[in-house]
Amino acid sequence: MRILFLCHAHPSLQAGGTEIFSHGLFRALRRVGFEGAYLAGTSAGQRPPSPGTPFQAVEGTTDELLLWTAGFDPFFLSQTDLHGVMPSLAAFLQELRPDIVHIHHLLTLGTEVVALIRRVVPRARIVMTLHDYYALCANDGQMVTTSGALCRTASPDACGRCHPARSTTDARLRQLAVQGALEGIDQLVSPSRFLRDRLVAHGVPGEKITVLPNGIAAEPPAPHRPDGRRDRFGFFGHVNRFKGATLALQASARLFRAGVAHAMTLHGGTAHQAPDVLDGFRDALLAAPDARHLGAYHRADLPRLMAAVDWVVVPSVWWENAPLVIQEAFLHRRPVICADIGGMAEMVRDGVDGLHFPVGDPAALADTLKRATEEPGLWQRLVDAIAPPPSMEDAADAHEALYRAVLARQPLRATRRQPSVSRMSPGVSRTSRSAA
């Protein structure tokens, strides 16, 4: 079986959960005999490839490529470089002739990529994993309004309130473009039931969405600290509006004022954040004497960092889907304290292998942290109930079964009609083959 993975970024350039999982899954499938390639977008702020081609090989590999995708419109999820990126990608598809194209995001690639695959390699089957809510939400795929409130209904009117510079027509056109792309996909994959249910509520047929948990690379669990108070908490994640780092600091400050002994360590970078986000985070850090921010970290350092904490705190103020940090915590046998919504609440069983608290409430989080430090036997009981997360090999087995089931079906009878790339860019075949 020959597969092509398409992702919006490569983990060597942007080490987010989607990039780490999709790349790990691809390598696991390659180890069991699959042929194919991993193609990741790269854009402004990153080094473009050599002149004359939008492609660049990832150093040290023969089957991983970067595709220069700077001409991308994030609101419409549209790749606007129809004379460069799309013809070159068409030529690449013609050369590879994949059996399965597995899309891991429409960011940087655009909704147009689905129609392109259908036209160029019509016998291929298309699978797409939904790693977040971008199919529904134009606000960074968070399903959170620009005012910070949780959003429960994605609609052109609601999107217009978040993006007043955009017309309702723009929001409707985005919705139609995404709907058309989803209709052209053979099988959708969701890592959580929560996201699947959200999509079904917005009209996506439930039978088209398979729930498959993400996998994680196996490694020995980090040792626990010696017996004693279980009062060391760790936050692992980028410092931004949505991950709740400031909320964790506010809870720590409350414990300090109440005289509750504890330690809160935050691991995560602050790059590319708005000044008000950074100012709020720094003010909260100054107000929490028992907290430390140690900055960005490399994944290779994670076992050592996990060994220094008893609990992992996931205080995200958005719905999340399938946070990698929860799988990392469970891999290293650390119970998780998380907000009570979305994929977080689905992955962490309240009172079984972790604790929930009401989303966005620093006082409630402080109370939960206090309980975690003081309730006798709680930490050990939760640790004993932690189930190991699926390995990358488990995920590869599940995806192989899915691919074979999809290939066994009849092809789609019809897809939404979209503009042909060849009509937009005359002479595609000759120029794009030389570029590829």
Side-chain angles (χ1 to χ4, degrees):
M1 192 186 302
R2 184 171 295 174
I3 55 171
L4 172 61
F5 270 37
L6 297 177
C7 195
H8 64 299
H10 192 277
S12 64
L13 300 176
Q14 180 175 308
T18 298
E19 298 89 331
I20 291 169
F21 169 68
S22 63
H23 183 262
L25 177 62
F26 173 75
R27 298 264 42 118
L29 289 167
R30 291 285 276 137
R31 285 194 293 272
V32 295
F34 281 64
E35 298 178 358
Y38 184 93
L39 185 60
T42 182
S43 58
Q46 296 165 352
R47 183 166 60 92
S50 302
T53 175
F55 294 105
Q56 177 178 331
V58 175
E59 186 175 359
T61 70
T62 58
D63 54 3
E64 298 179 25
L65 292 170
L66 302 179
L67 174 65
W68 184 246
T69 54
F72 179 73
D73 185 318
F75 181 86
F76 287 108
L77 288 179
S78 177
Q79 177 50 250
T80 61
D81 188 1
L82 299 178
H83 294 276
V85 169
M86 287 302 179
S88 297
L89 183 53
F92 185 82
L93 286 164
Q94 289 169 346
E95 293 292 338
L96 186 64
R97 292 285 171 184
D99 301 300
I100 292 285
V101 179
H102 191 154
I103 301 171
H104 282 272
H105 221 298
L106 293 174
L107 276 177
T108 72
L109 301 169
T111 56
E112 298 84 358
V113 74
V114 177
L116 178 72
I117 296 165
R118 285 279 171 225
R119 183 181 67 80
V120 177
V121 283
R123 296 178 65 87
R125 299 292 183 266
I126 306 175
V127 175
M128 179 176 170
T129 297
L130 299 154
H131 291 281
D132 49 37
Y133 306 91
Y134 260 99
L136 303 176
C137 177
N139 187 27
D140 290 329
Q142 306 289 323
M143 288 299 290
V144 174
T145 69
T146 50
S147 65
L150 289 169
C151 179
R152 289 172 168 80
T153 303
S155 68
D157 287 340
C159 293
R161 289 191 292 272
C162 267
H163 300 275
R166 297 284 187 177
S167 67
T168 303
T169 300
D170 283 348
R172 178 60 175 156
L173 288 172
R174 180 192 192 275
Q175 186 183 63
L176 288 172
V178 173
Q179 180 182 338
L182 296 183
E183 288 176 358
I185 291 168
D186 294 285
Q187 189 67 45
L188 296 167
V189 175
S190 173
S192 71
R193 295 187 303 276
F194 181 85
L195 175 56
R196 176 193 179 277
D197 292 346
R198 272 294 175 91
L199 290 165
V200 170
H202 282 81
V204 179
E207 65 273 13
K208 195 170 184 175
I209 310 173
T210 298
V211 177
L212 290 180
N214 292 339
I216 186 172
E219 63 179 325
H224 291 133
R225 295 192 310 118
D227 290 341
R229 279 177 57 88
R230 297 300 178 180
D231 58 1
R232 296 189 182 182
F233 304 95
F235 169 94
F236 299 85
H238 202 67
V239 176
N240 59 30
R241 294 184 186 277
F242 306 110
K243 291 295 185 181
T246 298
L247 189 76
L249 291 173
Q250 292 168 343
S252 177
R254 286 175 177 269
L255 292 185
F256 172 77
R257 292 194 296 270
V260 178
H262 73 289
M264 174 76 70
T265 307
L266 294 92
H267 303 280
T270 59
H272 311 302
Q273 297 307 303
D276 64 312
V277 174
L278 294 180
D279 289 344
F281 175 75
R282 290 165 183 152
D283 289 346
L285 186 60
L286 289 173
D290 292 325
R292 295 181 302 156
H293 177 224
L294 299 185
Y297 62 96
H298 193 277
R299 293 193 70 239
D301 296 327
L302 190 60
R304 174 179 59 81
L305 301 177
M306 281 283 182
V309 303
D310 304 310
W311 307 80
V312 171
V313 182
V314 184
S316 295
V317 296
W318 70 293
W319 305 96
E320 290 281 6
N321 178 21
L324 174 63
V325 65
I326 293 178
Q327 289 192 315
E328 291 172 335
F330 286 165
L331 176 68
H332 292 288
R333 298 184 56 74
R334 265 61 183 179
V336 173
I337 298 172
C338 72
D340 60 349
I341 60 169
M344 296 175 287
E346 181 178 326
M347 294 176 73
V348 178
R349 297 169 292 172
D350 187 30
V352 178
D353 49 21
L355 302 172
H356 294 178
F357 71 93
V359 62
D361 187 338
L365 175 54
D367 289 342
T368 306
L369 299 179
K370 183 174 185 293
R371 176 192 174 192
T373 65
E374 296 180 350
E375 183 173 322
L378 175 64
W379 179 86
Q380 189 63 58
R381 176 166 57 83
L382 300 181
V383 168
D384 291 342
I386 292 173
S391 69
M392 206 62 77
E393 288 68 29
D394 294 333
D397 289 344
H399 280 78
E400 179 178 358
L402 178 69
Y403 297 158
R404 296 196 182 281
V406 171
L407 285 169
R409 300 177 196 162
Q410 293 296 316
L412 292 178
R413 295 182 181 278
T415 59
R416 182 176 295 258
R417 187 173 181 83
Q418 298 193 31
S420 165
V421 173
S422 61
R423 285 194 290 108
M424 297 179 192
S425 182
V428 164
S429 179
R430 180 176 63 255
T431 57
S432 60
R433 279 183 182 273
S434 61

